[in-house]
Amino acid sequence: MLRTIREMFAFGYHNYIKHAYPEDELDPIHCRGRGHDHTDPNNLNVNDVLGDYQLTLVDSLDSLVIFGNTSEFKRAVKLVTESLSFNTPVVVQIFEANIRILGGLLSAHLLITDPLMRLGDIRPENYNDELLILARNLCDRLLIAFKGTPSGIPFPRVHLGWRSVETLGRKNTCLAGAGSMLLEMGTLSVLLQDPRYATAARNAVITLWKHRAKSTGLLGTDIDIYSGEWTNFMSGVGAGQDSFYEYLLKSGILFNDSEMMRMFNESLVSIRQRLCKDFDEMNCSCYDASQHRIYWNVNMFTGDLLNAWVDSLQSAWPGILTLAGELSDAKCQHKLHLAIWQKFGLPPERFNLLLNTSELAFYPLRPEFAESTYYLYRATKDPFYHRIGAMIVDNLNRYTRARCGFATIHNIEDMSQEDRMESFFLSETLKYLYLVSVFLFIYHPLTLS
């Protein structure tokens, strides 16, 4: 398994460098690069993520270290520090820029400057905190999003070159997008001894928390950044919400922040009380109630069921539960998503539990199930999770390998491919699968000890 994952990472990474760099992503079928769509500002599927900032390389820096390619890591750091600029005419989503670019820069810097050199001497020659300087430059541009909204909730997008907010005529942001900034911005504050970044991100979380429904304790999916009114009342643990709860827990752990931990624990109580419906009541015969406890999507104000699907981002929830010490529930949730993987070979973006069928059939190489598998393997040391990791690797190799990399699956029913390899495939999906085998603990390794 280790050899296979190493080969997969090398195949995807070197093809990105050969055919796509310095553009943001690799199109693995046509062997070409993909960057920001300057012709269509409203192409948010591309433009929210791609900022003409060497995304796949920056996002994958720490993966090079994890995979043991120190020489390429040093070369990649040199490429980034000598050529990357954020003074570009692009509008990006602050959430994506934060988790992929800011996280990539900070994690690589922390690995380089680790006084214990736990992953060896990886310091590039004459390194002088250039990645940290780039991180500050980027975060100064993102910080503008946190200023000027009446609600205190940040704007979802900024123009990097102009250092200004860009609404694109939209008033809404999602819970995850506005409330999942503290790990990276808080780490930057610690490293620079400048509280501005952590304060902005933390205040956004507290503001969102104050808008939870008083009747249920739940939060919704989308909120108006001007009025603070919820525009999508769906409460769940999947798309648009998942990382909010992840960041509450991880920020509480990383920064020893008792308020973030309190909010996570209170959220978990409300979520379990309101989202977990009785199986007999739902007449759900697809799964054994003793094996699968479902967290349904409900109305945040009433707790009434809104739909019967789970999405692939919800497969991060078992990992979050594992970090919270809720192993029994985590195992149960993991089995649910494992059943979906086994049914199709790869998971659909959205699966209807009552109809036992996919609702959105694409799979963009997401890492969440691999991440949860790693956390459970780390926590239990059960070889069952190693076998699940091997299954994931085998299916990715079988269905997503393309001419120059690994492709998004357009439809899991026929495994037709789409010409896009998102940066998180190298920076997260393959890395977590590798860690299942080598049993380390790093993602973007934000550690301040």
Side-chain angles (χ1 to χ4, degrees):
M1 180 174 165
L2 273 175
R3 182 178 299 177
T4 300
I5 302 171
R6 283 180 181 273
E7 184 279 330
M8 292 172 70
F9 179 82
F11 181 67
Y13 175 81
H14 289 300
N15 273 297
Y16 164 74
I17 293 296
K18 179 179 179 180
H19 298 290
Y21 179 81
E23 293 194 75
D24 288 316
E25 287 180 350
L26 169 68
D27 288 351
I29 296 174
H30 288 96
C31 304
R32 63 192 178 197
R34 178 194 296 254
H36 195 85
D37 184 356
H38 293 271
T39 65
D40 182 6
N42 290 301
N43 184 2
L44 300 185
N45 184 47
V46 169
N47 290 343
D48 272 355
V49 179
L50 308 188
D52 290 342
Y53 39 31
Q54 306 175 29
L55 173 62
T56 295
L57 183 61
V58 174
D59 203 10
S60 301
L61 286 174
D62 63 337
S63 289
L64 289 167
V65 178
I66 301 306
F67 279 91
N69 196 339
T70 301
S71 61
E72 181 59 22
F73 172 75
K74 292 179 179 179
R75 189 182 82 89
V77 170
K78 190 171 188 292
L79 282 174
V80 169
T81 57
E82 291 182 351
S83 62
L84 181 58
S85 171
F86 300 116
N87 189 28
T88 51
V90 296
V91 175
V92 296
Q93 189 185 74
I94 63 169
F95 169 76
E96 296 290 356
N98 177 68
I99 63 171
R100 302 201 203 196
I101 297 293
L102 187 59
L105 294 170
L106 289 173
S107 60
H109 171 76
L110 287 166
L111 288 172
I112 291 170
T113 57
D114 178 11
L116 300 179
M117 294 193 292
R118 281 167 283 196
L119 293 177
D121 183 5
I122 62 169
R123 191 181 190 94
E125 187 177 0
N126 299 320
Y127 180 74
N128 192 28
D129 293 347
E130 287 89 351
L131 295 177
L132 181 61
I133 293 168
L134 281 169
R136 179 174 59 188
N137 185 290
L138 172 61
C139 206
D140 284 342
R141 297 168 193 268
L142 301 181
L143 204 58
I144 193 69
F146 293 82
K147 302 174 182 178
T149 60
S151 67
I153 299 166
F155 290 95
R157 296 174 184 86
V158 296
H159 190 293
L160 288 180
W162 294 347
R163 294 177 182 248
S164 64
V165 166
E166 177 54 71
T167 66
L168 298 177
R170 292 168 170 81
K171 301 191 299 180
N172 296 338
T173 190
C174 70
L175 177 67
S180 304
M181 307 286 289
L182 184 53
L183 286 176
E184 293 81 5
M185 293 177 69
T187 296
L188 184 62
S189 279
V190 172
L191 293 174
L192 296 177
Q193 296 186 319
D194 182 344
R196 291 180 301 142
Y197 311 106
T199 299
R202 196 171 185 275
N203 285 346
V205 174
I206 293 171
T207 298
L208 288 164
W209 178 254
K210 290 178 179 178
H211 284 82
R212 69 194 185 281
K214 300 301 185 288
S215 56
T216 63
L218 297 175
L219 293 143
T221 301
D222 298 327
I223 193 167
D224 187 308
I225 59 175
Y226 295 98
S227 68
E229 297 294 324
W230 293 98
T231 57
N232 182 339
F233 299 162
M234 189 180 81
S235 186
V237 292
Q241 302 166 77
D242 56 323
S243 61
F244 178 81
Y245 302 110
E246 174 192 5
Y247 272 51
L248 284 181
L249 176 59
K250 290 182 177 179
S251 295
I253 295 169
L254 182 63
F255 304 118
N256 194 27
D257 190 324
S258 60
E259 188 168 13
M260 295 297 113
M261 288 300 297
R262 176 186 62 80
M263 287 191 280
F264 174 80
N265 289 327
E266 289 185 16
S267 293
L268 185 58
V269 170
S270 298
I271 286 168
R272 281 179 165 164
Q273 287 178 345
R274 302 290 180 171
L275 272 60
C276 293
K277 302 292 184 181
D278 182 76
F279 269 80
D280 293 333
E281 173 189 327
M282 297 308 304
N283 192 28
C284 180
S285 59
C286 303
Y287 298 97
D288 180 352
S290 67
Q291 295 295 316
H292 301 297
R293 180 185 189 184
I294 307 298
Y295 287 80
W296 300 93
N297 298 313
V298 304
N299 184 298
M300 64 177 291
F301 295 107
T302 66
D304 294 336
L305 185 73
L306 289 182
N307 54 59
W309 48 258
V310 295
D311 59 57
S312 62
L313 284 165
Q314 191 172 327
S315 62
W317 188 240
I320 296 170
L321 290 170
T322 302
L323 287 177
E326 302 287 341
L327 278 180
S328 178
D329 199 4
K331 291 177 182 178
C332 183
Q333 294 306 303
H334 187 271
K335 286 181 180 179
L336 167 63
H337 291 279
L338 174 60
I340 297 172
W341 270 78
Q342 291 175 327
K343 177 178 176 63
F344 296 101
L346 294 171
E349 185 72 354
R350 187 180 290 174
F351 179 76
N352 190 302
L353 289 163
L354 297 186
L355 300 178
N356 197 28
T357 188
S358 65
E359 287 194 2
L360 293 176
F362 67 93
Y363 170 65
L365 308 173
R366 290 201 188 279
E368 283 75 17
F369 186 64
E371 178 183 7
S372 289
T373 300
Y374 164 66
Y375 284 137
L376 277 164
Y377 187 39
R378 169 85 180 192
T380 66
K381 302 179 177 62
D382 188 337
F384 168 77
Y385 297 105
H386 185 274
R387 293 194 294 273
I388 298 307
M391 177 209 74
I392 298 170
V393 170
D394 183 61
N395 288 3
L396 288 172
N397 230 345
R398 180 181 307 163
Y399 299 122
T400 73
R401 185 179 286 265
R403 179 182 167 198
C404 296
F406 296 86
T408 291
I409 297 300
H410 180 72
N411 189 330
I412 51 88
E413 301 285 355
D414 59 15
M415 294 300 175
S416 53
Q417 293 184 344
E418 187 175 315
D419 200 8
R420 186 174 187 181
M421 186 178 82
E422 294 232 31
S423 69
F424 52 63
F425 181 69
L426 298 180
S427 68
E428 296 185 67
T429 306
L430 289 182
K431 181 162 57 185
Y432 279 124
L433 292 169
Y434 186 72
L435 293 177
V436 168
S437 294
V438 299
F439 209 55
L440 293 172
F441 181 69
I442 293 174
Y443 157 42
H444 278 326
L446 298 179
T447 174
L448 301 176
S449 60

